[in-house]
Amino acid sequence: MALNVGPDFKQRWLNVPEAVRQTFIDDLGRICDVLQPETLLQDWLQHDQQQQKESELKAEAAYAQRKAELIEEARIRKQKALEKALADKRAEEQAYIEQMKLDEQQRYAEQTRTLQLLRDSLNAEVLNYAARYKASPAVNTAHIKIDDSELQSELESIRLRLELEAETAIEETLLQLRQRLRAAAREEIDYILQKR
């Protein structure tokens, strides 16, 4: 006698929960018992009905548990995907912030170089004017008196003005960087809240 179990039996059998497989095996065992000559048919029928009810309950419980396991696995996969997406977004934002910091540092360095060149230029200009003043004997300087302390005071005033301009430029740059960082943090918080 041949038993036709249908196509893909092995795959279907392996996908069934262990408790359901055991109930099938128990059912087959009871069928084998009824074929024994010493088995009383009426007793077997009563026992089989009771065992079938128990088998159905076991199968339902096993399928419910398997469904719960599949739902939990799907939830974990989704959670991991969300965490990975969030980690990727954080990494992108961190890279963006690092790039912004580098850009700000480069701008600051360029502004510092520009201010240094401006200061050097002003110093050279002052020295040039001072050299002209000393080298020109034809000019009557009797009535013009420039004290070294006045010249020093003027140079100090120019230096202070340049430092203040540099500080103002640095403060503006830092303010812009803080605003960008706050905006990036707000975006990340909104993103996290949307995913929940």
Side-chain angles (χ1 to χ4, degrees):
M1 170 174 110
L3 180 63
N4 184 7
V5 291
D8 302 324
F9 172 72
K10 288 181 183 177
Q11 183 178 356
R12 285 185 290 117
W13 179 254
L14 293 175
N15 286 333
V16 171
E18 181 66 31
V20 175
R21 277 187 264 169
Q22 186 59 49
T23 58
F24 287 152
I25 291 170
D26 293 343
D27 288 346
L28 288 173
R30 284 196 311 280
I31 291 170
C32 291
D33 288 345
V34 80
L35 298 176
Q36 300 295 327
E38 64 271 9
T39 303
L40 297 172
L41 190 58
Q42 191 61 33
D43 292 342
W44 182 87
L45 286 172
Q46 289 176 353
H47 179 69
D48 183 57
Q49 284 179 349
Q50 180 183 356
Q51 291 299 316
Q52 280 184 5
K53 288 177 184 175
E54 289 179 12
S55 294
E56 286 175 7
L57 291 174
K58 286 180 186 175
E60 285 176 12
Y63 279 122
Q65 181 181 352
R66 181 63 180 147
K67 183 178 179 181
E69 289 170 359
L70 290 173
I71 289 171
E72 180 63 15
E73 288 171 6
R75 188 194 66 75
I76 290 171
R77 279 195 306 274
K78 184 178 179 181
Q79 181 67 28
K80 286 183 178 177
L82 285 174
E83 288 172 1
K84 183 180 181 310
L86 183 59
D88 291 346
K89 183 167 176 52
R90 283 185 181 158
E92 286 175 14
E93 288 175 353
Q94 188 61 36
Y96 176 71
I97 289 169
E98 292 299 323
Q99 186 60 45
M100 279 178 25
K101 285 181 184 176
L102 284 175
D103 291 346
E104 294 300 324
Q105 288 172 355
Q106 288 175 350
R107 278 196 209 112
Y108 176 75
E110 287 172 11
Q111 288 174 349
T112 305
R113 280 194 300 272
T114 303
L115 292 172
Q116 182 70 36
L117 289 172
L118 183 58
R119 188 176 72 185
D120 292 345
S121 173
L122 286 173
N123 285 340
E125 205 172 313
V126 168
L127 290 174
N128 186 21
Y129 282 129
R132 278 189 193 168
Y133 174 72
K134 287 181 183 176
S136 178
V139 176
N140 184 5
T141 59
H143 65 283
I144 301 174
K145 290 184 179 180
I146 299 178
D147 194 358
D148 283 345
S149 62
E150 287 181 31
L151 188 58
Q152 192 65 28
S153 172
E154 188 65 28
L155 287 174
E156 186 65 22
S157 167
I158 291 171
R159 185 182 68 75
L160 284 173
R161 192 182 82 228
L162 289 174
E163 286 179 2
L164 287 173
E165 288 177 6
E167 285 179 13
T168 303
I170 291 168
E171 286 176 7
E172 288 174 358
T173 303
L174 288 175
L175 182 63
Q176 290 173 358
L177 178 60
R178 283 190 195 109
Q179 289 172 348
R180 289 180 189 164
L181 289 174
R182 282 191 196 112
R186 263 190 253 113
E187 285 179 14
E188 184 171 341
I189 290 169
D190 291 343
Y191 179 78
I192 291 169
L193 292 175
Q194 287 174 357
K195 293 299 177 184
R196 289 191 176 179

mmCIF file of all heavy atoms in Angstrom, residues 96-112 169-178 180-181:
data_model
loop_
_atom_site.group_PDB
_atom_site.id
_atom_site.type_symbol
_atom_site.label_atom_id
_atom_site.label_comp_id
_atom_site.label_asym_id
_atom_site.label_seq_id
_atom_site.Cartn_x
_atom_site.Cartn_y
_atom_site.Cartn_z
ATOM 1 N N TYR A 96 28.185 65.060 9.515
ATOM 2 C CA TYR A 96 27.836 66.413 9.081
ATOM 3 C C TYR A 96 28.344 67.454 10.084
ATOM 4 O O TYR A 96 28.916 68.477 9.703
ATOM 5 C CB TYR A 96 26.316 66.516 8.917
ATOM 6 C CG TYR A 96 25.812 67.894 8.554
ATOM 7 C CD1 TYR A 96 26.033 68.420 7.288
ATOM 8 C CD2 TYR A 96 25.140 68.660 9.492
ATOM 9 C CE1 TYR A 96 25.581 69.684 6.958
ATOM 10 C CE2 TYR A 96 24.685 69.931 9.171
ATOM 11 C CZ TYR A 96 24.905 70.433 7.899
ATOM 12 O OH TYR A 96 24.470 71.693 7.586
ATOM 13 N N ILE A 97 28.155 67.163 11.389
ATOM 14 C CA ILE A 97 28.624 68.085 12.430
ATOM 15 C C ILE A 97 30.141 68.204 12.389
ATOM 16 O O ILE A 97 30.695 69.310 12.494
ATOM 17 C CB ILE A 97 28.136 67.610 13.818
ATOM 18 C CG1 ILE A 97 26.623 67.820 13.937
ATOM 19 C CG2 ILE A 97 28.853 68.323 14.948
ATOM 20 C CD1 ILE A 97 25.990 67.162 15.140
ATOM 21 N N GLU A 98 30.828 67.055 12.221
ATOM 22 C CA GLU A 98 32.292 67.092 12.143
ATOM 23 C C GLU A 98 32.744 67.917 10.942
ATOM 24 O O GLU A 98 33.698 68.695 11.031
ATOM 25 C CB GLU A 98 32.861 65.666 12.057
ATOM 26 C CG GLU A 98 32.670 64.844 13.318
ATOM 27 C CD GLU A 98 33.352 65.458 14.526
ATOM 28 O OE1 GLU A 98 34.451 66.031 14.375
ATOM 29 O OE2 GLU A 98 32.774 65.393 15.633
ATOM 30 N N GLN A 99 32.033 67.732 9.821
ATOM 31 C CA GLN A 99 32.379 68.512 8.627
ATOM 32 C C GLN A 99 32.134 70.000 8.878
ATOM 33 O O GLN A 99 32.933 70.845 8.467
ATOM 34 C CB GLN A 99 31.560 68.032 7.422
ATOM 35 C CG GLN A 99 31.945 68.684 6.106
ATOM 36 C CD GLN A 99 33.394 68.423 5.731
ATOM 37 O OE1 GLN A 99 33.870 67.300 5.826
ATOM 38 N NE2 GLN A 99 34.102 69.455 5.327
ATOM 39 N N MET A 100 31.020 70.313 9.570
ATOM 40 C CA MET A 100 30.734 71.718 9.892
ATOM 41 C C MET A 100 31.833 72.288 10.786
ATOM 42 O O MET A 100 32.288 73.419 10.589
ATOM 43 C CB MET A 100 29.376 71.848 10.588
ATOM 44 C CG MET A 100 28.226 71.833 9.612
ATOM 45 S SD MET A 100 26.560 71.916 10.361
ATOM 46 C CE MET A 100 26.777 72.687 11.913
ATOM 47 N N LYS A 101 32.271 71.502 11.772
ATOM 48 C CA LYS A 101 33.348 71.964 12.654
ATOM 49 C C LYS A 101 34.619 72.232 11.851
ATOM 50 O O LYS A 101 35.280 73.251 12.064
ATOM 51 C CB LYS A 101 33.629 70.918 13.744
ATOM 52 C CG LYS A 101 32.593 70.862 14.834
ATOM 53 C CD LYS A 101 32.980 69.813 15.859
ATOM 54 C CE LYS A 101 31.930 69.647 16.931
ATOM 55 N NZ LYS A 101 32.258 68.565 17.863
ATOM 56 N N LEU A 102 34.935 71.298 10.948
ATOM 57 C CA LEU A 102 36.135 71.498 10.112
ATOM 58 C C LEU A 102 36.005 72.762 9.271
ATOM 59 O O LEU A 102 36.949 73.549 9.156
ATOM 60 C CB LEU A 102 36.357 70.282 9.201
ATOM 61 C CG LEU A 102 36.936 69.044 9.868
ATOM 62 C CD1 LEU A 102 36.978 67.881 8.885
ATOM 63 C CD2 LEU A 102 38.334 69.318 10.385
ATOM 64 N N ASP A 103 34.807 72.936 8.686
ATOM 65 C CA ASP A 103 34.578 74.145 7.872
ATOM 66 C C ASP A 103 34.734 75.400 8.714
ATOM 67 O O ASP A 103 35.346 76.381 8.281
ATOM 68 C CB ASP A 103 33.183 74.103 7.240
ATOM 69 C CG ASP A 103 33.063 73.025 6.175
ATOM 70 O OD1 ASP A 103 34.106 72.501 5.733
ATOM 71 O OD2 ASP A 103 31.923 72.702 5.786
ATOM 72 N N GLU A 104 34.163 75.368 9.932
ATOM 73 C CA GLU A 104 34.255 76.531 10.807
ATOM 74 C C GLU A 104 35.705 76.789 11.200
ATOM 75 O O GLU A 104 36.151 77.935 11.252
ATOM 76 C CB GLU A 104 33.399 76.344 12.066
ATOM 77 C CG GLU A 104 31.907 76.285 11.813
ATOM 78 C CD GLU A 104 31.374 77.541 11.150
ATOM 79 O OE1 GLU A 104 31.865 78.629 11.457
ATOM 80 O OE2 GLU A 104 30.471 77.429 10.303
ATOM 81 N N GLN A 105 36.449 75.715 11.481
ATOM 82 C CA GLN A 105 37.859 75.879 11.832
ATOM 83 C C GLN A 105 38.639 76.468 10.658
ATOM 84 O O GLN A 105 39.501 77.337 10.852
ATOM 85 C CB GLN A 105 38.467 74.539 12.244
ATOM 86 C CG GLN A 105 37.985 74.052 13.592
ATOM 87 C CD GLN A 105 38.445 72.643 13.902
ATOM 88 O OE1 GLN A 105 39.060 71.978 13.067
ATOM 89 N NE2 GLN A 105 38.128 72.180 15.111
ATOM 90 N N GLN A 106 38.339 75.995 9.452
ATOM 91 C CA GLN A 106 39.023 76.540 8.277
ATOM 92 C C GLN A 106 38.670 78.015 8.086
ATOM 93 O O GLN A 106 39.546 78.838 7.804
ATOM 94 C CB GLN A 106 38.652 75.741 7.026
ATOM 95 C CG GLN A 106 39.281 74.365 6.987
ATOM 96 C CD GLN A 106 38.805 73.541 5.792
ATOM 97 O OE1 GLN A 106 37.871 73.926 5.102
ATOM 98 N NE2 GLN A 106 39.440 72.404 5.584
ATOM 99 N N ARG A 107 37.384 78.347 8.256
ATOM 100 C CA ARG A 107 36.981 79.750 8.128
ATOM 101 C C ARG A 107 37.673 80.608 9.178
ATOM 102 O O ARG A 107 38.136 81.708 8.887
ATOM 103 C CB ARG A 107 35.457 79.886 8.261
ATOM 104 C CG ARG A 107 34.725 79.581 6.995
ATOM 105 C CD ARG A 107 33.278 80.102 7.079
ATOM 106 N NE ARG A 107 32.454 79.247 6.250
ATOM 107 C CZ ARG A 107 31.523 78.420 6.683
ATOM 108 N NH1 ARG A 107 31.242 78.360 7.954
ATOM 109 N NH2 ARG A 107 30.844 77.663 5.863
ATOM 110 N N TYR A 108 37.718 80.087 10.404
ATOM 111 C CA TYR A 108 38.372 80.834 11.476
ATOM 112 C C TYR A 108 39.850 81.044 11.156
ATOM 113 O O TYR A 108 40.383 82.152 11.344
ATOM 114 C CB TYR A 108 38.209 80.080 12.796
ATOM 115 C CG TYR A 108 38.922 80.724 13.952
ATOM 116 C CD1 TYR A 108 38.414 81.873 14.545
ATOM 117 C CD2 TYR A 108 40.113 80.195 14.451
ATOM 118 C CE1 TYR A 108 39.060 82.471 15.593
ATOM 119 C CE2 TYR A 108 40.773 80.806 15.495
ATOM 120 C CZ TYR A 108 40.243 81.942 16.068
ATOM 121 O OH TYR A 108 40.902 82.539 17.108
ATOM 122 N N ALA A 109 40.506 79.972 10.676
ATOM 123 C CA ALA A 109 41.930 80.085 10.323
ATOM 124 C C ALA A 109 42.122 81.100 9.192
ATOM 125 O O ALA A 109 43.053 81.915 9.222
ATOM 126 C CB ALA A 109 42.485 78.715 9.923
ATOM 127 N N GLU A 110 41.221 81.052 8.198
ATOM 128 C CA GLU A 110 41.319 82.017 7.089
ATOM 129 C C GLU A 110 41.100 83.444 7.589
ATOM 130 O O GLU A 110 41.820 84.365 7.194
ATOM 131 C CB GLU A 110 40.287 81.677 6.010
ATOM 132 C CG GLU A 110 40.627 80.447 5.201
ATOM 133 C CD GLU A 110 39.494 80.023 4.280
ATOM 134 O OE1 GLU A 110 38.527 80.798 4.115
ATOM 135 O OE2 GLU A 110 39.584 78.916 3.724
ATOM 136 N N GLN A 111 40.102 83.626 8.451
ATOM 137 C CA GLN A 111 39.851 84.965 8.994
ATOM 138 C C GLN A 111 41.033 85.439 9.830
ATOM 139 O O GLN A 111 41.419 86.614 9.765
ATOM 140 C CB GLN A 111 38.564 84.963 9.836
ATOM 141 C CG GLN A 111 37.315 84.840 9.004
ATOM 142 C CD GLN A 111 36.063 84.688 9.862
ATOM 143 O OE1 GLN A 111 36.147 84.483 11.065
ATOM 144 N NE2 GLN A 111 34.911 84.781 9.222
ATOM 145 N N THR A 112 41.617 84.518 10.609
ATOM 146 C CA THR A 112 42.787 84.885 11.402
ATOM 147 C C THR A 112 43.946 85.296 10.497
ATOM 148 O O THR A 112 44.617 86.301 10.759
ATOM 149 C CB THR A 112 43.206 83.698 12.293
ATOM 150 O OG1 THR A 112 42.094 83.295 13.086
ATOM 151 C CG2 THR A 112 44.357 84.064 13.197
ATOM 152 N N ALA A 169 33.725 88.291 14.659
ATOM 153 C CA ALA A 169 33.588 87.287 13.598
ATOM 154 C C ALA A 169 33.541 85.876 14.186
ATOM 155 O O ALA A 169 32.743 85.030 13.769
ATOM 156 C CB ALA A 169 34.739 87.413 12.604
ATOM 157 N N ILE A 170 34.363 85.606 15.193
ATOM 158 C CA ILE A 170 34.393 84.278 15.830
ATOM 159 C C ILE A 170 33.069 84.019 16.539
ATOM 160 O O ILE A 170 32.491 82.937 16.437
ATOM 161 C CB ILE A 170 35.585 84.179 16.806
ATOM 162 C CG1 ILE A 170 36.900 84.175 16.020
ATOM 163 C CG2 ILE A 170 35.478 82.939 17.677
ATOM 164 C CD1 ILE A 170 38.119 84.370 16.872
ATOM 165 N N GLU A 171 32.542 85.009 17.274
ATOM 166 C CA GLU A 171 31.272 84.836 17.983
ATOM 167 C C GLU A 171 30.124 84.567 17.015
ATOM 168 O O GLU A 171 29.269 83.724 17.273
ATOM 169 C CB GLU A 171 30.968 86.080 18.822
ATOM 170 C CG GLU A 171 31.835 86.188 20.060
ATOM 171 C CD GLU A 171 31.596 87.487 20.830
ATOM 172 O OE1 GLU A 171 30.670 88.231 20.464
ATOM 173 O OE2 GLU A 171 32.337 87.741 21.785
ATOM 174 N N GLU A 172 30.121 85.282 15.888
ATOM 175 C CA GLU A 172 29.067 85.041 14.890
ATOM 176 C C GLU A 172 29.158 83.621 14.342
ATOM 177 O O GLU A 172 28.148 82.935 14.188
ATOM 178 C CB GLU A 172 29.179 86.059 13.754
ATOM 179 C CG GLU A 172 28.766 87.471 14.155
ATOM 180 C CD GLU A 172 29.025 88.480 13.041
ATOM 181 O OE1 GLU A 172 29.555 88.095 11.981
ATOM 182 O OE2 GLU A 172 28.699 89.667 13.244
ATOM 183 N N THR A 173 30.383 83.170 14.077
ATOM 184 C CA THR A 173 30.585 81.818 13.555
ATOM 185 C C THR A 173 30.128 80.784 14.576
ATOM 186 O O THR A 173 29.442 79.815 14.238
ATOM 187 C CB THR A 173 32.068 81.603 13.214
ATOM 188 O OG1 THR A 173 32.468 82.597 12.276
ATOM 189 C CG2 THR A 173 32.296 80.229 12.613
ATOM 190 N N LEU A 174 30.485 80.955 15.849
ATOM 191 C CA LEU A 174 30.074 80.018 16.894
ATOM 192 C C LEU A 174 28.554 80.018 17.063
ATOM 193 O O LEU A 174 27.937 78.974 17.287
ATOM 194 C CB LEU A 174 30.750 80.371 18.213
ATOM 195 C CG LEU A 174 32.244 80.059 18.291
ATOM 196 C CD1 LEU A 174 32.824 80.575 19.595
ATOM 197 C CD2 LEU A 174 32.494 78.571 18.155
ATOM 198 N N LEU A 175 27.929 81.199 16.966
ATOM 199 C CA LEU A 175 26.471 81.283 17.070
ATOM 200 C C LEU A 175 25.796 80.497 15.948
ATOM 201 O O LEU A 175 24.843 79.738 16.179
ATOM 202 C CB LEU A 175 26.039 82.752 17.024
ATOM 203 C CG LEU A 175 24.538 83.010 17.173
ATOM 204 C CD1 LEU A 175 24.040 82.541 18.530
ATOM 205 C CD2 LEU A 175 24.235 84.482 16.984
ATOM 206 N N GLN A 176 26.326 80.622 14.740
ATOM 207 C CA GLN A 176 25.759 79.871 13.605
ATOM 208 C C GLN A 176 25.929 78.371 13.820
ATOM 209 O O GLN A 176 25.011 77.588 13.563
ATOM 210 C CB GLN A 176 26.441 80.292 12.296
ATOM 211 C CG GLN A 176 26.083 81.694 11.849
ATOM 212 C CD GLN A 176 26.910 82.136 10.640
ATOM 213 O OE1 GLN A 176 27.776 81.408 10.169
ATOM 214 N NE2 GLN A 176 26.629 83.342 10.162
ATOM 215 N N LEU A 177 27.117 77.953 14.327
ATOM 216 C CA LEU A 177 27.364 76.533 14.580
ATOM 217 C C LEU A 177 26.399 76.008 15.642
ATOM 218 O O LEU A 177 25.808 74.932 15.487
ATOM 219 C CB LEU A 177 28.811 76.326 15.026
ATOM 220 C CG LEU A 177 29.208 74.890 15.368
ATOM 221 C CD1 LEU A 177 29.030 73.985 14.155
ATOM 222 C CD2 LEU A 177 30.629 74.825 15.871
ATOM 223 N N ARG A 178 26.156 76.772 16.721
ATOM 224 C CA ARG A 178 25.213 76.339 17.759
ATOM 225 C C ARG A 178 23.807 76.189 17.190
ATOM 226 O O ARG A 178 23.085 75.249 17.513
ATOM 227 C CB ARG A 178 25.201 77.366 18.898
ATOM 228 C CG ARG A 178 26.405 77.265 19.814
ATOM 229 C CD ARG A 178 26.236 78.139 21.059
ATOM 230 N NE ARG A 178 27.495 78.311 21.734
ATOM 231 C CZ ARG A 178 28.187 79.445 21.764
ATOM 232 N NH1 ARG A 178 27.732 80.520 21.171
ATOM 233 N NH2 ARG A 178 29.328 79.510 22.408
ATOM 234 N N ARG A 180 22.977 75.501 14.141
ATOM 235 C CA ARG A 180 22.923 74.290 13.302
ATOM 236 C C ARG A 180 22.871 73.030 14.155
ATOM 237 O O ARG A 180 22.147 72.080 13.831
ATOM 238 C CB ARG A 180 24.147 74.244 12.378
ATOM 239 C CG ARG A 180 24.096 75.292 11.281
ATOM 240 C CD ARG A 180 25.318 75.202 10.412
ATOM 241 N NE ARG A 180 25.397 76.320 9.481
ATOM 242 C CZ ARG A 180 26.489 76.663 8.811
ATOM 243 N NH1 ARG A 180 27.594 75.976 8.983
ATOM 244 N NH2 ARG A 180 26.486 77.676 7.987
ATOM 245 N N LEU A 181 23.656 72.997 15.243
ATOM 246 C CA LEU A 181 23.647 71.831 16.119
ATOM 247 C C LEU A 181 22.281 71.655 16.784
ATOM 248 O O LEU A 181 21.776 70.542 16.907
ATOM 249 C CB LEU A 181 24.736 71.966 17.191
ATOM 250 C CG LEU A 181 26.178 71.815 16.707
ATOM 251 C CD1 LEU A 181 27.150 72.128 17.828
ATOM 252 C CD2 LEU A 181 26.429 70.422 16.163
#
